Amino acid sequence: ERIRAAKEREHQDKTDSRQRVNRYISPGAANFRGPAGVMDANSGDVVASRSQNPGYGGPRSRYMLEDEDPEIEQEIDSNINQMSDALSRLKGLAVATSKELDSQSKPMKNIAELSDRTSDNIGIATFHLNKVNKK
């Protein structure tokens, strides 16, 4: 009964872990829809896209010089957007990794405490056995 419950708990933990990671790295994840933007440091969610940010962008034509090729500028903008999207996904993966480590920290601490207690109990039992053997 205990073994079956432990296996079920292990299976549920793996499923939860997979869901946490997939929430941040799947292409359709809510955190990565639309253009790259400003991310909330605590939740990792995009709170404003660059197009909504009045301090970003604006009409580029007033910044272009006469000898600059608009096609090259568009290609540069496209590359910057692709890099921004990739970095957003990378940040999402980092946030997911951090949350996964946090979620596994407590069980690992419990395991360490249990193994310390078990080690102590084995030491005490060994002491008593040695004491009995000397008699």
Side-chain angles (χ1 to χ4, degrees):
E1 178 66 29
R2 283 181 22 187
I3 294 173
R4 187 174 59 97
K7 285 184 179 184
E8 287 176 5
R9 193 170 44 250
E10 179 182 355
H11 176 70
Q12 185 61 42
D13 289 345
K14 285 180 182 179
T15 302
D16 292 346
S17 175
R18 241 181 264 122
Q19 287 174 348
R20 278 191 300 271
V21 171
N22 287 338
R23 184 176 45 207
Y24 287 95
I25 64 171
S26 64
N31 295 339
F32 306 113
R33 282 193 203 125
V38 180
M39 286 187 123
D40 183 299
N42 296 320
S43 69
D45 295 333
V46 175
V47 292
S49 71
R50 288 187 173 158
S51 60
Q52 296 168 336
N53 187 349
Y56 178 81
R60 291 193 49 95
S61 60
R62 65 179 167 171
Y63 299 110
M64 290 178 56
L65 301 174
E66 291 178 15
D67 59 344
E68 290 181 351
D69 186 0
E71 290 178 12
I72 292 175
E73 288 295 318
Q74 282 184 327
E75 183 179 349
I76 290 171
D77 285 345
S78 173
N79 290 341
I80 288 172
N81 287 336
Q82 287 176 0
M83 285 177 26
S84 178
D85 291 344
L87 288 171
S88 293
R89 286 190 299 276
L90 185 60
K91 179 176 180 176
L93 186 57
V95 168
T97 301
S98 174
K99 289 186 179 194
E100 185 62 25
L101 289 172
D102 289 344
S103 72
Q104 292 183 9
S105 178
K106 185 178 178 182
M108 292 297 286
K109 191 180 231 182
N110 290 341
I111 290 170
E113 289 172 2
L114 287 172
S115 65
D116 287 345
R117 261 189 272 150
T118 302
S119 179
D120 292 345
N121 290 339
I122 289 172
I124 292 168
T126 303
F127 173 77
H128 289 297
L129 284 173
N130 288 336
K131 200 172 171 183
V132 168
N133 283 336
K134 289 183 180 180
K135 289 185 179 182

